[in-house]
Amino acid sequence: QVQLQESGPGLVKPSGTLSLTCAVSGASFSSSNWWSWVRQSPGKGLEWIGEIYHNGNTNYNPSLESRVSISIDKSKRQFSLKVTSLTAADTAVYYCARVFTAGSLDHWGQGILVTVSS
Amino acid sequence: EIVLTQSPATLSLSPGERATLSCRASRTVASTFLAWYQQKPGLAPRLLIYDVFSRATGIPDRFSGSGSGTDFTLIISRLEPEDSAVYYCQQYSSSPITFGRGTRLEIK
């Protein structure tokens, strides 16, 4: 059974940097999988942030690309998200997920609420 | 980017009825790169349908997907109380991947 679990701070300051980690269990982490980050806010709904391949290749949403980076650590079976220059608009529930077929997402973490506030 | 418009915004039906949810794309979704998700309060989205037609693991055959080009449909037949949720469509035909704003299905 594939399981994903997000971790990180629930409160971050404006203009700061958000760092989240997604730990993966129950799945081969070195196989040909892409891993993704999605966020959800009342204002923007579900928003795809980006994805990373097991070899480190990445794709990002152009609307966030200048502020986002995704990395992977296969030895720890985890991948991570960094978002810089935070504003209140970045307040959202952040999900990590496994990419299935060409882009659908078949396994999701439970989500972590991140609030940007001073 | 491809904008997905879902309709209706809200749907209220009785158990045993059939629900028809629509997802319209602002331009052609190539191949069969469209999925549907179900989301209940406080939970992550759950994959129901991928590649337009294919049911994800464990999804009952009451859920079916169809469509092509710019018009896609999710049908839930024989509604059950636990089908009450918000349903989202997602396209992965072109970057960035985008989601619709959802249809809220209420079971009376």
Side-chain angles (χ1 to χ4, degrees):
Chain A
Q1 174 72 349
V2 179
Q3 291 188 311
L4 296 92
Q5 178 71 59
E6 304 90 350
S7 61
L11 179 65
V12 287
K13 294 189 185 310
S15 77
T17 296
L18 167 65
S19 295
L20 297 176
T21 295
C22 181
V24 180
S25 60
S28 173
F29 206 61
S30 297
S31 65
S32 300
N33 276 121
W34 288 85
W35 304 89
S36 185
W37 287 96
V38 175
R39 67 183 185 181
Q40 184 173 32
S41 62
K44 299 193 85 174
L46 287 163
E47 182 177 30
W48 177 75
I49 299 171
E51 61 189 1
I52 189 164
Y53 196 46
H54 71 99
N55 66 359
N57 287 351
T58 53
N59 293 309
Y60 298 118
N61 190 323
S63 68
L64 297 167
E65 189 165 13
S66 63
R67 300 192 295 124
V68 165
S69 66
I70 299 175
S71 59
I72 192 165
D73 187 334
K74 288 184 285 187
S75 66
K76 293 183 178 179
R77 300 177 58 82
Q78 64 187 35
F79 60 106
S80 300
L81 170 71
K82 283 193 177 177
V83 185
T84 61
S85 305
L86 294 168
T87 71
D90 295 307
T91 294
V93 176
Y94 285 75
Y95 295 101
C96 59
R98 187 179 77 168
V99 179
F100 181 61
T101 63
S104 62
L105 303 167
D106 67 340
H107 291 279
W108 296 62
Q110 66 185 27
I112 183 168
L113 173 61
V114 176
T115 301
V116 180
S117 174
S118 55
Chain B
E1 70 178 45
I2 295 179
V3 176
L4 300 177
T5 301
Q6 293 189 241
S7 61
T10 305
L11 193 54
S12 182
L13 295 168
S14 299
E17 290 190 307
R18 169 174 152 138
T20 302
L21 286 66
S22 173
C23 176
R24 177 162 290 178
S26 60
R27 63 175 195 268
T28 296
V29 174
S31 189
T32 56
F33 296 148
L34 187 116
W36 290 91
Y37 298 84
Q38 176 192 67
Q39 187 178 31
K40 297 183 178 181
L43 298 180
R46 174 193 181 198
L47 179 65
L48 297 174
I49 301 287
Y50 63 94
D51 295 353
V52 176
F53 311 103
S54 300
R55 274 186 299 277
T57 302
I59 302 303
D61 60 8
R62 301 186 296 105
F63 293 85
S64 62
S66 64
S68 65
T70 60
D71 290 299
F72 300 89
T73 301
L74 174 69
I75 291 177
I76 312 170
S77 59
R78 305 183 305 279
L79 284 168
E80 298 183 1
E82 60 264 30
D83 297 332
S84 181
V86 180
Y87 293 82
Y88 296 96
C89 56
Q90 174 215 18
Q91 68 79 24
Y92 39 97
S93 162
S94 69
S95 186
I97 289 169
T98 53
F99 294 85
R101 295 305 299 261
T103 289
R104 182 176 302 275
L105 174 61
E106 172 196 298
I107 309 299
K108 298 175 189 172

